Amino acid sequence: SAHKSSFNNGQLLLRVDHRRELVGEVLTLCDEQFHSPSLHKNVICEQIESDICSLLNNALIPSNRAKIDQLDVRGFNGEVDDGCISDNERALMTTAVICSALLRYRITNAGSSLSLLCNRPWLRHMSFDACLCYIIWDSIPIFERNDHHSMAVKLLRNIVFGSPHRIVESCNAEAEIFQDIIDTDPLIYCILPRRNRGKACERFVIDFSHTERLRNILNPEETKKLASGNAKRKNPTELTYIQQLCNVLLHNLGRNGSIPFCSLRNIARKLKVPLEESMSGITNDEMKTLNIRLCGGVNESNNKNKNRTSGYMDWSPKTDFATANALSKEDGNYDVGRRCAFVGWENNDSINDAGGGRRSLNVEELAIEEYFSGRLPLEDESEECRGQWVGWHDEGGHVRELFRIMCLSDLLASTDDNPLFLKEQTTVFLSPYQSSPHDLHVGCFNIANGESGEGMEGHKIIRGFYERRRQKVAAFLSKISQMDH
């Protein structure tokens, strides 16, 4: 039945009574899931107010005091300043806290709609739980900008692992504590896209690092004791607290493939050991299918760090290097955060912009000019291949367009001739007007702790775009490899 909400202004959520009213309306709409709305309403509202109070207390950390002294804006309850620059920011943060509390209870008391989403994750854009996740994820930069890293950690734990569990505040804890953090509810895997989950895991590690840093600032005496204890460690390779977290994330999320390899690699960097060592014994379908390499590369012989046994290293692709001096101010200083500008070659005025006719270039335009003029690549077996290269800086736009043109009829139009896939095809293609199949950005990963063919707690393995089209992809690539031109 249609339901008209009275909330047409987000700033109403800055008041406790309106927050309670919104939670009540949501629980009324979710009557299938919550059989005692009033009881759950009280629990959820208590958690929301507790989180908002923690935001107010967090505003007293040293990094926020300067802001608070300069601003004269009211806090969530009109008494304490929270460091926000406007009520709009404050309303967005409040909305994220409310969505997090609602999502937490919807997952804990999963209804039929959430269970169906686990079987059809390509329809997540129609799911209320996915909308809650997206709101939380889009609000994370606001919490980070206002130094609320502890709350950002809690929110990220909710959308990535399914439940915030408990906030870990002691850096003396062992790695077993993190096992609880990543004891992920299977339902949460399907709510965020695989790529977003990977980025959220990266932000989780970064915000957790900031939380530890701020804790050390507020507790200098404890920090000195810890530093003294670390100096006396007998094992120099002992992992720090953050590295323990990264190690546990790699071994759990890396094996089931629930986040992309690029995110696994970024997390592995914090271990400060070669990628081959940190990913030892860790593999998934993405790594096997794409034959991802962890070490070596064509530049290995020229790598200054090739003999280094410590520090991060991974596979290095062929890379061309050029030296250029960026434009600076008269005092020789560069503006922090601004992109560098370079001088183009003035004798190329007659060449179009693709060849580098401009005299003030950014770094991408400079690289295009270097290849057009023949100054790159430095090493090439054939001189005929040097120069006159035309390039574009479009963040892969042309490649994606070419993918759609080449693959539209062979890959995007249908799935493999499997009875199960054909049955799912009715929801993968809901409308003739959709620009792509709904599962185009759904990756394949296993939520069964690495046991192929078995689901966790009755849930099936998540099948993605490639899993439904293995035969068609193999036939398509074989056809391309046999072409003469």
Side-chain angles (χ1 to χ4, degrees), residues 303-340:
N303 191 347
K304 296 180 180 179
N305 300 322
K306 63 178 181 178
N307 297 321
R308 189 174 61 182
T309 58
S310 63
Y312 177 82
M313 290 186 295
D314 63 2
W315 177 79
S316 56
K318 183 178 180 179
T319 307
D320 295 319
F321 296 90
T323 302
N325 294 322
L327 298 175
S328 63
K329 291 183 177 180
E330 296 180 357
D331 57 3
N333 296 323
Y334 299 94
D335 291 336
V336 177
R338 289 191 59 183
R339 301 193 65 185
C340 293

Side-chain angles (χ1 to χ4, degrees), residues 165-457:
H165 296 279
R166 57 183 182 278
I167 292 292
V168 181
E169 298 178 347
S170 171
C171 62
N172 289 322
E174 300 293 336
E176 286 78 10
I177 293 180
F178 299 116
Q179 193 63 39
D180 295 335
I181 298 178
I182 60 170
D183 187 16
T184 308
D185 191 308
L187 296 173
I188 202 67
Y189 283 110
C190 312
I191 297 181
L192 271 183
R194 186 166 173 265
R195 181 171 176 267
N196 290 51
R197 278 181 53 80
K199 290 184 175 295
C201 284
E202 294 180 47
R203 297 311 311 172
F204 173 74
V205 173
I206 293 173
D207 286 323
F208 205 101
S209 302
H210 285 305
T211 301
E212 285 296 294
R213 177 179 56 82
L214 294 175
R215 187 193 62 79
N216 293 338
I217 292 175
L218 295 176
N219 299 278
E221 294 299 326
E222 182 179 350
T223 303
K224 290 180 181 179
K225 294 180 181 179
L226 292 173
S228 176
N230 290 336
K232 299 178 181 179
R233 287 185 305 179
K234 295 181 180 180
N235 185 5
T237 61
E238 184 180 344
L239 297 179
T240 65
Y241 192 55
I242 301 301
Q243 288 176 331
Q244 291 178 23
L245 169 63
C246 295
N247 193 44
V248 176
L249 288 173
L250 286 176
H251 281 77
N252 286 265
L253 303 184
R255 287 194 174 96
N256 63 23
S258 60
I259 63 175
F261 177 79
C262 58
S263 295
L264 293 174
R265 182 177 54 192
N266 290 335
I267 294 174
R269 290 180 186 274
K270 294 187 176 295
L271 293 177
K272 300 180 180 179
V273 297
L275 184 62
E276 185 180 25
E277 179 180 339
S278 60
M279 295 289 291
S280 177
I282 301 174
T283 185
N284 54 51
D285 287 343
E286 179 188 12
M287 297 172 65
K288 294 177 182 178
T289 303
L290 300 180
N291 193 24
I292 294 177
R293 290 164 282 187
L294 304 179
C295 62
V298 294
N299 283 340
E300 187 175 23
S301 59
N302 299 325
N303 191 347
K304 296 180 180 179
N305 300 322
K306 63 178 181 178
N307 297 321
R308 189 174 61 182
T309 58
S310 63
Y312 177 82
M313 290 186 295
D314 63 2
W315 177 79
S316 56
K318 183 178 180 179
T319 307
D320 295 319
F321 296 90
T323 302
N325 294 322
L327 298 175
S328 63
K329 291 183 177 180
E330 296 180 357
D331 57 3
N333 296 323
Y334 299 94
D335 291 336
V336 177
R338 289 191 59 183
R339 301 193 65 185
C340 293
F342 302 88
V343 177
W345 290 77
E346 297 185 3
N347 58 350
N348 285 344
D349 287 344
S350 60
I351 302 177
N352 58 24
D353 288 343
R358 303 178 190 175
R359 296 174 180 169
S360 177
L361 313 174
N362 58 36
V363 64
E364 292 84 9
E365 293 166 343
L366 177 65
I368 292 174
E369 185 187 72
E370 293 290 295
Y371 283 102
F372 183 87
S373 63
R375 290 185 291 275
L376 288 179
L378 298 177
E379 300 178 0
D380 199 308
E381 297 179 358
S382 174
E383 290 294 330
E384 297 178 357
C385 297
R386 298 179 68 89
Q388 302 304 308
W389 286 92
V390 178
W392 298 272
H393 175 226
D394 60 358
E395 304 295 343
H398 288 347
V399 176
R400 290 192 294 271
E401 292 171 1
L402 184 63
F403 167 78
R404 288 181 180 272
I405 293 173
M406 295 179 61
C407 304
L408 180 60
S409 59
D410 294 278
L411 301 182
L412 300 182
S414 62
T415 61
D416 288 343
D417 296 331
N418 181 306
L420 176 61
F421 298 160
L422 293 176
K423 181 180 179 181
E424 294 175 341
Q425 187 168 308
T426 57
T427 53
V428 172
F429 299 93
L430 286 176
S431 168
Y433 303 103
Q434 63 189 71
S435 59
S436 62
H438 286 315
D439 67 339
L440 180 60
H441 299 290
V442 177
C444 178
F445 53 91
N446 191 352
I447 59 175
N449 292 328
E451 297 178 7
S452 177
E454 296 293 331
M456 181 185 295
E457 297 181 2

Side-chain angles (χ1 to χ4, degrees), residues 110-183:
S112 59
S113 60
L114 196 54
S115 299
L116 288 174
L117 180 62
C118 191
N119 294 324
R120 298 183 297 186
W122 53 90
L123 297 181
R124 63 168 64 94
H125 59 287
M126 301 180 181
S127 165
F128 174 63
D129 304 283
C131 291
L132 293 176
C133 258
Y134 284 125
I135 293 173
I136 299 169
W137 171 237
D138 290 339
S139 302
I140 294 298
I142 302 176
F143 288 92
E144 295 174 336
R145 187 166 57 247
N146 290 285
D147 291 332
H148 294 300
H149 298 288
S150 180
M151 181 56 63
V153 166
K154 188 173 184 178
L155 298 179
L156 288 169
R157 288 168 69 178
N158 198 12
I159 65 176
V160 175
F161 307 122
S163 175
H165 296 279
R166 57 183 182 278
I167 292 292
V168 181
E169 298 178 347
S170 171
C171 62
N172 289 322
E174 300 293 336
E176 286 78 10
I177 293 180
F178 299 116
Q179 193 63 39
D180 295 335
I181 298 178
I182 60 170
D183 187 16

